Amino acid sequence: AQKVTQAQTEISVVEKEDVTLDCVYETRDTTYYLFWYKQPPSGELVFLIRRNSFDEQNEISGRYSWNFQKSTSSFNFTITASQVVDSAVYFCAQYSSASKIIFGSGTRLSIRP
Amino acid sequence: DAGVTQSPTHLIKTRGQQVTLRCSPKSGHDTVSWYQQALGQGPQFIFQYYEEEERQRGNFPDRFSGHQFPNYSSELNVNALLLGDSALYLCASSLAYGDGYTFGSGTRLTVV
């Protein structure tokens, strides 16, 4: 069965600190995709990144970076030099042969000025 | 190029009533999925429509039904509303066998 676990319910840091959001997934599929979405108070899910199961290269996009490790079934997300605008709920999600996205329960990130 | 459009934005209904939510997919997408997001939780998969038929369904009762039209737009219907149906309902469009989902801003349903 598919499952995505985000153990951190809430995180609060001071602006400019680095912060890492954890994500652990479960699947029996060999081909799957992992996602991170940001959900600001407006409610819309904003796509951040997609990785497929065959590409374990870490990725960096500006202040955002992602660490995908199949050995530990983890897909962690780090924000460097956090800013107040990064405050939101972040969801890790998984897509596989079932053709539907399974979401984690989300991590609420608060960046204090 | 318009993204996913959902209407209405907000809705208040009374327990026992019926509600219809609407979704227009992103241009070029032919598959629509619906998700329910209760307060403080992650989105939960309700069902997915492709070629005007329900292709997959999550663990939701039959009170939740849907429809897809020839232009790929979709409706989500909920009958006999319960207080627990209060949530943000998100629509996502994609290609039938693609992995790229585009989400709409959602419809916030409040049942009183």
Side-chain angles (χ1 to χ4, degrees), chain A residues 33 35 37 39 41-45 47 50 89 91 95 97-106 108, chain B residues 35 37 40-45 48 55-58 88 90 96-101 103-105 108:
Chain A
Y33 295 86
F35 303 83
Y37 285 89
Q39 188 174 46
S42 61
E44 182 176 1
L45 284 169
F47 169 81
R50 180 189 73 196
V89 180
F91 290 98
Y95 171 97
S97 60
S99 299
K100 62 185 180 184
I101 295 181
I102 302 297
F103 287 86
S105 55
R108 180 175 299 278
Chain B
Y35 288 79
Q37 185 179 15
Q41 298 182 22
Q44 300 292 315
F45 176 75
Q48 183 180 82
R55 187 165 76 164
Q56 280 199 78
R57 190 179 184 91
L88 178 67
L90 294 162
Y97 296 98
D99 50 72
Y101 275 54
F103 282 86
S105 298
R108 188 164 297 281

Side-chain angles (χ1 to χ4, degrees), chain B residues 30-78:
Chain B
D30 56 9
T31 301
V32 173
S33 302
W34 286 92
Y35 288 79
Q36 180 196 64
Q37 185 179 15
L39 196 62
Q41 298 182 22
Q44 300 292 315
F45 176 75
I46 302 175
F47 44 51
Q48 183 180 82
Y49 276 84
Y50 170 66
E51 291 189 340
E52 302 180 49
E53 291 193 359
E54 184 180 290
R55 187 165 76 164
Q56 280 199 78
R57 190 179 184 91
N59 294 325
F60 280 81
D62 292 343
R63 297 186 298 107
F64 289 77
S65 63
H67 188 76
Q68 185 179 35
F69 299 94
N71 67 353
Y72 307 122
S73 66
S74 177
E75 289 181 348
L76 164 65
N77 302 294
V78 186

